[in-house]
Amino acid sequence: MSLQYALLGLLTYSPMNGYKLKKIFDKSINYTWTANLSQIYRELGSLQKKGYVSSSVLEQEDRPDKKIYEITEDGTKAFNEWLMNFPESFPWPKRDEFMLRMFFGASVGKEELVKQLKKFILEKEKFNLEMQDTEKAILQMKKAIDENSSLQATDGNELYWSFITKRAHMSNEVLITWAKECIKELEENMD
Amino acid sequence: MSLQYALLGLLTYSPMNGYKLKKIFDKSINYTWTANLSQIYRELGSLQKKGYVSSSVLEQEDRPDKKIYEITEDGTKAFNEWLMNFPESFPWPKRDEFMLRMFFGASVGKEELVKQLKKFILEKEKFNLEMQDTEKAILQMKKAIDENSSLQATDGNELYWSFITKRAHMSNEVLITWAKECIKELEENMD
DNA sequence: AGGGCCATGTAACCTGTTACATGATTGA
DNA sequence: TCAATCATGTAACAGGTTACATGGCCCT
């Protein structure tokens, strides 16, 4: 369901086709939610059935025709209702394969685990490099969205987007700290 | 797939029925992975088809009969291979409804967002209370598993389980810090 | 010549969630 | 007496993943 609201939200900025929605998704919402193309097409179909979006075909000469989706009044209403109905609690399904492996750490062995943790740290540090310049990341979000819409639909979003990137960065940092502590403890306890 | 390995892993401690697996799951692996009963039954069926577990029915007088699953040699082999084949990277599908809502923060309004963030903090602080005594949490994991197996299958796991609980705690703490910073910034920017 | 981008989708499959069905025992 | 625990499952649905199909343009 959330994916549908994410799409509706993007469509409040401007009417768009599925392919474009995916592009924007990957540069913005991607920090908080992932989706692949076929899923987006499916959900757009479902939204249209509900009457939350309408579509029209834009014929192009050079390129394949585009199917442009536009949010309807009902869709706007549904989106706003979703935003305002803050749930009492969020189902927080945890699915972290790395941590699942850690659970069976005793069967892995300390040396191997240290190696795995070092790889983990490298991954996180790589992400940190990408994340480092949060302002740039936010500008890229804005750019990706504004490129498509004539009006500057994204004005006033910077603050909230900075919250998102900040959280990603902080969470990432703490994972690096944690992993380093684990390595230290493992090395202290090695035979 | 991970769920199947999680189940295989638990079955290396001792043969068990689905219901018991769920009980243990909720008190241990639950920090890293979630599963519901019907899913566990389905995956056990699938594991049996693959020949990774075998089952036998234990008749009981007072209570319903139990279907006890035991890990086979093939299953043990598959589990160990999984543990040792550390993937190059983990697909990290992000699905965080709270953050998705934050993305559209401009449409929510600052006052309302502050309220939502405060609720978020309360939730995290509640979790912190539960988490506070990590040693207790780990003892509960051990207890849940050892209760069922005659041998002390879980010896030597404490270190790895402490890594898991520590990470949960650290990640939680940083979220509280983050949320408080967000509130501060929102209040500074309120008209 | 070959890969990437633009563009839309379908089909099959896998995984996760919720509801339904059944029913005895135990403890508050 | 009522809820929880023990115990196993099926069915339907929702959501996510992967593979397949098609095909022209642009850049290297």
Side-chain angles (χ1 to χ4, degrees):
Chain A
M1 207 78 313
S2 290
L3 174 55
Q4 294 196 3
Y5 291 113
L7 294 173
L8 283 179
L10 289 183
L11 288 174
T12 62
Y13 299 143
S14 157
M16 278 179 270
N17 60 331
Y19 192 82
K20 187 87 195 171
L21 277 165
K22 168 65 173 165
K23 291 274 137 182
I24 291 182
F25 220 96
D26 287 348
K27 286 189 183 161
S28 58
I29 291 188
N30 199 243
Y31 291 104
T32 68
W33 205 273
T34 52
N36 56 40
L37 243 187
S38 56
Q39 216 183 333
I40 287 174
Y41 285 123
R42 183 166 58 185
E43 297 308 321
L44 283 172
S46 157
L47 284 167
Q48 191 163 23
K49 262 187 206 159
K50 289 184 193 166
Y52 289 174
V53 300
S54 62
S55 70
S56 57
V57 174
L58 184 80
E59 277 166 45
Q60 295 187 126
E61 278 162 35
D62 297 4
R63 289 144 188 290
D65 295 350
K66 283 180 185 179
K67 199 167 172 184
I68 309 286
Y69 290 88
E70 189 167 354
I71 191 166
T72 62
E73 257 184 63
D74 275 9
T76 312
K77 216 179 124 195
F79 176 68
N80 286 321
E81 269 167 25
W82 172 75
L83 263 192
M84 291 311 155
N85 281 323
F86 189 74
E88 271 316 297
S89 76
F90 295 96
W92 223 24
K94 284 151 257 165
R95 300 186 208 282
D96 187 329
E97 195 191 315
F98 180 74
M99 282 297 105
L100 180 59
R101 286 164 178 275
M102 182 69 73
F103 183 84
F104 295 110
S107 305
V108 176
K110 285 174 185 165
E111 270 154 272
E112 171 65 18
L113 241 196
V114 168
K115 273 188 211 163
Q116 297 184 356
L117 280 161
K118 282 180 179 168
K119 276 193 194 172
F120 178 83
I121 291 173
L122 281 179
E123 214 187 280
K124 298 299 159 194
E125 278 171 348
K126 202 179 131 203
F127 178 77
N128 254 7
L129 284 179
E130 285 169 31
M131 256 303 169
Q132 222 172 25
D133 199 342
T134 52
E135 274 178 48
K136 202 178 145 198
I138 289 163
L139 273 176
Q140 272 181 0
M141 285 198 208
K142 261 187 92 67
K143 203 182 138 202
I145 296 170
D146 285 341
E147 258 169 19
N148 189 265
S149 86
S150 44
L151 26 121
Q152 262 149 315
T154 58
D155 274 2
N157 282 315
E158 292 87 342
L159 181 62
Y160 308 98
W161 294 352
S162 76
F163 291 166
I164 291 172
T165 51
K166 194 197 276 175
R167 171 168 156 174
H169 189 252
M170 286 171 81
S171 295
N172 205 47
E173 280 288 304
V174 89
L175 288 182
I176 294 174
T177 308
W178 166 80
K180 285 181 178 167
E181 281 178 28
C182 290
I183 291 176
K184 212 181 132 203
E185 272 195 64
L186 281 169
E187 282 172 347
E188 276 167 13
N189 285 294
M190 240 178 238
D191 340 88
Chain B
M1 205 78 312
S2 291
L3 174 54
Q4 293 195 4
Y5 291 113
L7 294 173
L8 284 179
L10 289 182
L11 288 174
T12 63
Y13 299 143
S14 156
M16 278 179 270
N17 59 331
Y19 191 83
K20 188 85 196 174
L21 278 164
K22 169 64 173 164
K23 290 274 137 180
I24 290 181
F25 219 96
D26 287 349
K27 286 188 183 162
S28 58
I29 291 188
N30 198 242
Y31 290 105
T32 67
W33 205 273
T34 52
N36 57 41
L37 242 186
S38 56
Q39 215 183 333
I40 287 173
Y41 284 124
R42 184 166 56 186
E43 296 309 321
L44 283 171
S46 156
L47 284 169
Q48 190 161 26
K49 263 186 205 161
K50 289 185 192 164
Y52 289 174
V53 300
S54 62
S55 69
S56 56
V57 174
L58 183 81
E59 278 166 44
Q60 296 187 125
E61 280 162 34
D62 296 6
R63 289 146 189 289
D65 295 349
K66 283 180 185 178
K67 200 166 174 183
I68 308 287
Y69 291 88
E70 191 167 351
I71 191 166
T72 62
E73 260 184 61
D74 276 8
T76 311
K77 217 179 123 195
F79 175 67
N80 286 322
E81 269 167 25
W82 173 74
L83 263 191
M84 291 310 155
N85 281 323
F86 189 73
E88 272 315 299
S89 75
F90 295 97
W92 222 25
K94 283 151 256 166
R95 298 183 210 284
D96 187 330
E97 195 192 314
F98 181 74
M99 282 297 104
L100 179 60
R101 286 164 177 275
M102 183 70 72
F103 183 85
F104 296 109
S107 305
V108 176
K110 285 174 184 164
E111 269 154 273
E112 171 64 19
L113 243 197
V114 168
K115 271 188 212 165
Q116 295 185 357
L117 280 160
K118 281 180 179 169
K119 275 192 194 173
F120 178 83
I121 291 173
L122 281 179
E123 213 187 280
K124 298 300 159 196
E125 278 172 348
K126 203 178 129 202
F127 178 76
N128 254 5
L129 285 178
E130 285 167 32
M131 257 303 172
Q132 222 172 26
D133 198 344
T134 53
E135 277 179 47
K136 202 178 146 198
I138 290 162
L139 274 176
Q140 272 182 359
M141 287 198 205
K142 262 188 91 65
K143 203 182 137 201
I145 297 170
D146 286 340
E147 260 170 18
N148 190 265
S149 85
S150 43
L151 24 122
Q152 262 149 313
T154 59
D155 274 3
N157 283 314
E158 293 87 344
L159 182 62
Y160 310 98
W161 295 351
S162 77
F163 291 166
I164 292 171
T165 51
K166 195 197 275 175
R167 171 167 158 175
H169 188 253
M170 286 172 81
S171 295
N172 205 47
E173 280 289 304
V174 89
L175 288 181
I176 294 173
T177 308
W178 166 80
K180 284 181 178 167
E181 282 178 27
C182 291
I183 291 176
K184 213 182 132 201
E185 272 195 63
L186 282 169
E187 282 173 347
E188 277 167 12
N189 285 295
M190 238 176 238
D191 342 86

